[in-house]
Amino acid sequence: MIRKILVFILVLNLTACAELQQVVNQLPQGTIGIGNDEIASGLRQALDFGIEKQVSKLTQTDGFYKNELVKILLPAELQKVDKGLRDIGLSKLADEGLKVLNRAAEDAVKEATPIFVDAVKGITFADAKNILIGNDDAATQYLNGKTQTALYAKFNPVIKNSFSKVGADEIWNNLISKYNSIPFTTDVNPDLTDYVTNEALKGVFTMIAVEEKEIRNNIGSRTTDLLRKVFALQD
C-alpha cells in the first residue's frame, strides 16, 4: 500500500514538472530575469515614443482640426449656438468658432509637451507586469489615471493663454454675444477653457495610445533593445 502511494506521488511530481517545463518552453527567449523595474522602463519608453511620434502631430496646424480621432467638436450646449448662427446666415463665423477651439488646443499642446514628458518620467508602475499583458492601451490608461488631475492643473492656464494667442476668446465672445441677442433664445455662457482643456488632454492620451498599440502589435515598431526585450513578454 505504501509503495503504491509513493509511486502515485512520484507520477504526480513528474507530471507537474513536465507541465512546468512546457510553460517555461513557451516563454519568449531572452525574457527570463526581467524584473518589474525593467518592464516599467520599457513601458515608459513606449509612452515617450507616443509623445515623440504621435503627440507631436497635434502641435501642427490642423493637428486637431483635421484629425478625426481627436478633433474637438462643440459641446452640446454650444450646438444650439452653432445652429442658431447658421439659421441667421452666420455660417462662416460659426465655422471659424469651431476652428479656433482646435487651434487653441494645437498651440497649447506645443507649449505643454514637456509637461507630458515629465509626467511619464515620474510615473511609477506599481504592477508593471500586469499592465504589460493588459489591453493595447493599458500603459496609456494607467498614465491617464495617475496624472490626469495634475496635468489638468498645469494644462488649463496654457489653454487659457492659447485662447488669447489664437484669438479664440475674442471670436467666441462675439459668437455668444450674437447668439444671445437672437430673440427667444436662452442665453449661454459656457466655460470654454475648461471644455477645451479636457478635450485636448483626451486627444493627447488618444495619440499616445495609438503608438502604444503599434508597439504592442507590430514587432517592427520596437526600435530599441529595451522595447524588443520587454514587449516580447506579451507576444
Side-chain angles (χ1 to χ4, degrees):
M1 182 66 178
I2 293 175
R3 182 179 296 176
K4 288 183 178 180
I5 292 173
L6 289 175
V7 170
F8 179 67
I9 291 173
L10 179 61
V11 170
L12 281 179
N13 284 337
L14 289 173
T15 303
C17 288
E19 290 178 350
L20 180 60
Q21 186 61 49
Q22 186 177 5
V23 170
V24 171
N25 290 339
Q26 289 175 351
L27 286 173
Q29 294 300 308
T31 61
I32 298 174
I34 296 181
N36 199 69
D37 289 345
E38 192 168 12
I39 293 173
S41 294
L43 294 175
R44 287 191 201 95
Q45 191 169 96
L47 295 174
D48 279 334
F49 276 35
I51 295 171
E52 180 184 339
K53 294 183 178 181
Q54 301 295 338
V55 175
S56 60
K57 296 176 183 178
L58 300 178
T59 67
Q60 301 168 11
T61 300
D62 290 328
F64 272 86
Y65 190 63
K66 290 187 177 180
N67 183 339
E68 293 303 318
L69 284 176
V70 298
K71 182 177 181 179
I72 299 176
L73 304 176
L74 294 178
E77 185 180 7
L78 289 182
Q79 288 174 12
K80 61 183 180 181
V81 176
D82 184 86
K83 183 177 185 304
L85 293 173
R86 294 182 191 281
D87 287 346
I88 61 173
L90 294 176
S91 295
K92 187 175 180 179
L93 183 59
D95 289 339
E96 186 63 19
L98 180 60
K99 184 178 290 185
V100 292
L101 293 185
N102 287 270
R103 288 286 181 270
E106 291 156 11
D107 180 72
V109 171
K110 186 184 304 180
E111 297 295 324
T113 296
I115 295 174
F116 299 105
V117 173
D118 287 343
V120 171
K121 288 179 181 176
I123 193 74
T124 300
F125 291 98
D127 195 351
K129 291 181 181 178
N130 280 336
I131 294 169
L132 179 66
I133 62 174
N135 296 331
D136 282 346
D137 64 346
T140 303
Q141 290 305 318
Y142 186 83
L143 176 68
N144 189 346
K146 292 292 184 181
T147 64
Q148 175 75 23
T149 301
L151 286 175
Y152 179 95
K154 292 180 179 179
F155 202 53
N156 187 265
V158 179
I159 286 284
K160 187 174 183 179
N161 181 61
S162 294
F163 258 60
S164 298
K165 191 186 297 186
V166 303
D169 49 359
E170 183 178 344
I171 289 172
W172 271 97
N173 284 336
N174 184 28
L175 268 165
I176 291 171
S177 294
K178 287 185 180 298
Y179 174 79
N180 288 343
S181 68
I182 300 174
F184 310 113
T185 59
T186 303
D187 287 1
V188 295
N189 186 28
D191 185 348
L192 283 175
T193 303
D194 171 74
Y195 174 72
V196 174
T197 298
N198 282 313
E199 291 299 299
L201 283 172
K202 189 187 302 180
V204 167
F205 286 117
T206 295
M207 297 310 294
I208 293 174
V210 166
E211 186 63 21
E212 180 185 352
K213 182 177 180 180
E214 177 68 14
I215 290 171
R216 285 181 181 273
N217 293 287
N218 183 356
I219 294 176
S221 294
R222 301 169 192 171
T223 54
T224 70
D225 288 339
L226 179 61
L227 289 178
R228 284 189 286 271
K229 183 177 181 181
V230 169
F231 281 91
L233 282 169
Q234 56 101 71
D235 288 339

